[in-house]
Amino acid sequence: MNEYLSFYEKYKISPVVQDIDNFKEHVRRRNNLYRQLGASHLIFKDKDILEIGPGGGYNALVTYSYGPKTYTLIEPSTQGYHELKNNFKNLDKNVFIFNEMLEEFKAIKQYDIIICEGLIPGLSSKEQFIKIIQSLLKPNGIFIMTTSDQVSVFFEIIRKYMANVLIKDIEDIDEKVKILVDSFSSHLDTLKGMTRSYSDWCLDNLVGDAILEHTLSINDAIELLKNNYILGISPNIFNNYSWYKQLPTNTFEYNQVFQEQMLEKWHNFIDYRFIQKDRDYKSNIELSKYCLELIKAIKNSDDKIKIVDILEKIKINLKSDIEKETLLAIEEAIEVINDSITPTKIKNMKFFNSAFGRGQAYISFVKENIDYE
Ligand SMILES: C[S@@+](CC[C@H](N)C(=O)[O-])C[C@H]1O[C@@H](n2cnc3c(N)ncnc32)[C@H](O)[C@@H]1O
């Protein structure tokens, strides 16, 4: 069992509920996402779709509204499955819901489109999981997934460390959430367009440990999906000026142009508020190494001196290539960690409170059709 499942099953929770009271707006937001991924409504219509780990299916309801031929959903958590069954109770004509893990799923066919959102980055065995998904996808099929890496969750990882300190002696889960919501509400207040409750956000990111596995960069995903062409990405950070007749026709070279750009843009993922100029890829490789060290330090110990030392290195690495506000946020985090981490101090942070990473990026891939190509 992975970090998500063991945590969700221990407390029988599914902390990924979304506020979809304004369903039309929810649909419009999802339409925007799919558009950026090169997948408009018509791509889903009359197709066999598989979604892995949909939770209660709040996003799946929109995908279903595009009119697939069949919609198969695999959700192993007890609470997620319960919500999913409920959300689809009047729509189950061509919907097949399985209460099991992908690893247990016995497929009888391949699918045109596979969606797996907010799951793979939290797994420790990412490669094996992606192999199973690839075996279920038809040639020319589309696979939509999320990535999330050590740079894009840097500020959330610092919050995770602060949360660990705040709740380390608390047993009761509700009490933990209460303390965290109280401490971090002033931070979450700065996020526009949030559709999850603060308590779900705190449970998922600050109480559960899956975020400490979030080391799957866009480039890692491209490596793992070697026989696929990139179709789209959200946020849409790449350029490609090539005339289509001059584009490479094999997946490796076709995707390489994106991988090279990613290395020069990686620091842009650290703080969603700003867009920075590209920089030397070596600085970004160093940045990602430090961010990974930070995750390891938090996972294996709560050695405050080591954590502050890594944050200082990250500050130096970013110094001349990033906005002043981002540096002030890191400095303020160092100050609080050095001094003492308390709910009041966290609540009253002036710079760190609005610093969040870009979190997850979505990528869509098209599977190579080996027979044809
Ligand atoms: C963080 S939640 C994301 C839920 C939803 N996709 C979203 O983006 O809001 C991860 C989901 O993956 C499910 N999950 C965990 N391990 C799984 C596995 N091995 N196979 C299928 N689903 C899994 C969890 O139960 C949970 O519902």
Side-chain angles (χ1 to χ4, degrees):
M1 224 189 244
N2 56 61
E3 285 295 346
Y4 281 123
L5 264 186
S6 50
F7 178 56
Y8 290 8
E9 283 312 276
K10 181 169 176 195
Y11 298 103
K12 295 282 178 279
I13 53 172
S14 176
V16 284
V17 176
Q18 294 200 45
D19 176 0
I20 55 166
D21 282 352
N22 186 345
F23 192 68
K24 275 195 180 149
E25 198 49 31
H26 179 51
V27 172
R28 285 191 198 110
R29 279 193 298 268
R30 298 295 295 179
N31 289 348
N32 277 346
L33 169 66
Y34 284 129
R35 216 174 280 126
Q36 285 204 307
L37 296 173
S40 78
H41 293 41
L42 287 180
I43 283 186
F44 295 89
K45 186 139 180 66
D46 296 326
K47 297 295 188 307
D48 290 317
I49 301 187
L50 172 68
E51 179 156 357
I52 302 157
Y58 302 88
N59 297 329
L61 283 171
V62 179
T63 317
Y64 182 73
S65 73
Y66 298 156
K69 182 166 137 206
T70 64
Y71 200 176
T72 304
L73 300 129
I74 307 176
E75 175 47 59
S77 82
T78 309
Q79 177 61 20
Y81 175 74
H82 171 74
E83 286 173 27
L84 189 58
K85 286 292 268 187
N86 192 43
N87 279 332
F88 276 85
K89 67 175 181 289
N90 300 321
L91 308 167
D92 58 0
K93 201 163 49 68
N94 51 353
V95 176
F96 306 94
I97 302 181
F98 294 85
N99 187 206
E100 59 195 26
M101 298 198 294
L102 172 70
E103 297 87 329
E104 299 162 329
F105 179 60
K106 303 266 178 295
I108 48 167
K109 62 178 179 190
Q110 285 187 312
Y111 296 86
D112 298 299
I113 300 177
I114 302 184
I115 302 166
C116 186
E117 186 171 350
L119 168 57
I120 302 173
L123 303 176
S124 51
S125 54
K126 302 171 174 60
E127 192 170 350
Q128 191 47 33
F129 204 78
I130 285 181
K131 267 196 187 137
I132 302 176
I133 293 176
Q134 281 292 288
S135 71
L136 296 174
L137 188 63
K138 287 182 190 168
N140 286 325
I142 294 176
F143 173 41
I144 295 173
M145 65 176 285
T146 54
T147 63
S148 177
D149 68 47
Q150 56 271 25
V151 177
S152 73
V153 293
F154 167 72
F155 280 113
E156 286 64 46
I157 291 291
I158 299 177
R159 288 191 177 88
K160 169 72 178 155
Y161 170 64
M162 292 172 168
N164 285 352
V165 173
L166 290 179
I167 59 176
K168 72 171 182 303
D169 297 322
I170 315 273
E171 275 303 312
D172 181 58
I173 184 96
D174 294 331
E175 183 62 15
K176 287 185 198 213
V177 173
K178 193 166 166 291
I179 292 172
L180 296 177
V181 170
D182 178 46
S183 307
F184 290 101
S185 281
S186 62
H187 300 212
L188 297 173
D189 284 344
T190 68
L191 284 174
K192 310 243 172 340
M194 191 155 166
T195 52
R196 291 170 75 184
S197 70
Y198 288 4
S199 50
D200 269 12
W201 191 92
C202 289
L203 266 172
D204 216 17
N205 293 294
L206 304 182
V207 183
D209 285 331
I211 197 160
L212 297 172
E213 302 294 336
H214 281 221
T215 58
L216 183 74
S217 69
I218 288 175
N219 280 2
D220 294 334
I222 296 172
E223 291 290 326
L224 291 174
L225 287 145
K226 297 192 210 25
N227 298 327
N228 291 251
Y229 297 92
I230 291 189
L231 175 64
I233 180 147
S234 177
N236 193 351
I237 60 166
F238 296 131
N239 300 312
N240 195 344
Y241 291 111
S242 302
W243 184 33
Y244 79 95
K245 291 185 182 174
Q246 286 178 332
L247 281 174
T249 53
N250 65 76
T251 53
F252 174 76
E253 285 176 57
Y254 184 91
N255 292 337
Q256 203 175 18
V257 60
F258 302 113
Q259 286 184 293
E260 283 166 6
Q261 287 182 52
M262 177 59 204
L263 288 179
E264 293 175 350
K265 294 181 191 300
W266 209 347
H267 58 303
N268 270 288
F269 282 77
I270 211 154
D271 190 333
Y272 84 108
R273 297 172 297 175
F274 307 111
I275 300 170
Q276 310 297 339
K277 284 206 229 58
D278 290 1
R279 68 172 186 166
D280 180 14
Y281 76 94
K282 290 194 195 109
S283 305
N284 277 339
I285 297 214
E286 185 185 72
L287 172 65
S288 83
K289 195 183 95 202
Y290 293 148
C291 292
L292 208 52
E293 275 177 29
L294 182 69
I295 292 185
K296 283 200 185 124
I298 292 170
K299 235 179 174 177
N300 303 329
S301 70
D302 63 352
D303 183 348
K304 185 164 122 172
I305 296 171
K306 189 164 181 190
I307 287 165
V308 168
D309 180 53
I310 300 169
L311 291 179
E312 293 285 2
K313 285 192 206 155
I314 291 175
K315 214 179 87 189
I316 294 167
N317 171 287
L318 290 169
K319 203 167 184 122
S320 47
D321 302 316
I322 208 108
E323 228 56 45
K324 188 173 88 242
E325 283 86 341
T326 309
L327 293 175
L328 287 171
I330 302 175
E331 274 163 20
E332 191 177 33
I334 293 174
E335 228 174 85
V336 168
I337 294 169
N338 265 334
D339 189 3
S340 64
I341 296 170
T342 65
T344 311
K345 288 228 174 84
I346 293 175
K347 226 184 290 186
N348 293 331
M349 291 176 97
K350 294 272 175 293
F351 301 106
F352 181 83
N353 64 324
S354 53
F356 285 86
R358 288 192 191 273
Q360 58 183 23
Y362 288 74
I363 320 187
S364 54
F365 290 98
V366 177
K367 187 176 172 182
E368 189 176 35
N369 182 352
I370 294 161
D371 292 342
Y372 178 69
E373 279 153 7

